[in-house]
Amino acid sequence: MPSPPPAPLPCGVPAFAPLRVRGGGGHRLRRALWRQRRALAAGLALTAAALAATGLGGGGTAGGDAAYGAGAGGTAGAAPERARRPARLVSAPIRIADAGTVRLLRPGDHVDVITAGEARAGTGFRVLAKGARVAEVPHAAADGVAGFEGSGGSTEDGALIVLTVPRETATALAGAGISSQLAVTLC
């Protein structure tokens, strides 16, 4: 068996100045504060996004729809505020003259609602709602009645659909549905 190699000769550790860490825990404190500020900023951003999505933010009035009133004597400053506020959407059931067209619709489709103007006035057709989202298309009942069960309408009267539209548009649709027939076009 061969002999092991000789061990290196001992050498000394070179001399160096002692290390000094400045501040000690100050860096940890700054880092903790930075993390806390970052978490707070993220929380505020999430809250703002949630309020924007629900329409609850934006300095509303105590009267609710007071800023949306027709001819409510608004001032020049009321128009920019009205432009910033999101439109309040409502469900508007309307009866479409052509029941066959309604069978083509599915919830989530976007449609334009068209009405015929007064024939005597010669106003022609006009669009009441552009890009309205179809919320529901009620199925025909077993006895051949179109619309919701027990609605009392026949397929000759058209078919019922429910649209999600701004409140002002729903009012216009309801008024036009009483005096004239409505039609839809798919967007």
Side-chain angles (χ1 to χ4, degrees):
M1 186 179 255
S3 66
L9 296 173
C11 62
V13 176
F16 59 90
L19 294 175
R20 295 179 193 243
V21 179
R22 293 186 184 170
H27 179 66
R28 283 183 291 196
L29 179 61
R30 277 192 300 271
R31 190 172 34 188
L33 287 175
W34 180 76
R35 284 182 184 152
Q36 185 179 16
R37 286 183 195 141
R38 188 171 170 188
L40 182 62
L44 286 174
L46 281 173
T47 303
L51 286 174
T54 61
L56 295 177
T61 60
D65 286 340
Y68 287 93
T75 62
E81 181 179 337
R82 189 177 307 131
R84 284 188 301 234
R85 292 181 67 183
R88 297 213 170 125
L89 299 178
V90 297
S91 295
I94 62 170
R95 188 164 298 278
I96 302 301
D98 184 12
T101 303
V102 174
R103 286 193 291 269
L104 299 173
L105 299 177
R106 301 285 178 261
D109 287 346
H110 290 272
V111 296
D112 291 344
V113 181
I114 303 168
T115 182
E118 294 292 326
R120 287 173 263 151
T123 57
F125 298 99
R126 65 185 175 123
V127 177
L128 294 175
K130 291 185 179 183
R133 188 177 66 83
V134 176
E136 188 174 346
V137 181
H139 299 290
D143 59 356
V145 175
F148 291 111
E149 294 180 36
S151 67
S154 67
T155 56
E156 296 170 357
D157 294 335
L160 188 70
I161 62 172
V162 180
L163 301 177
T164 302
V165 293
R167 187 179 303 270
E168 295 82 15
T169 305
T171 304
L173 288 171
I178 293 172
S179 62
S180 64
Q181 291 185 341
L182 302 177
V184 294
T185 59
L186 282 165
C187 295

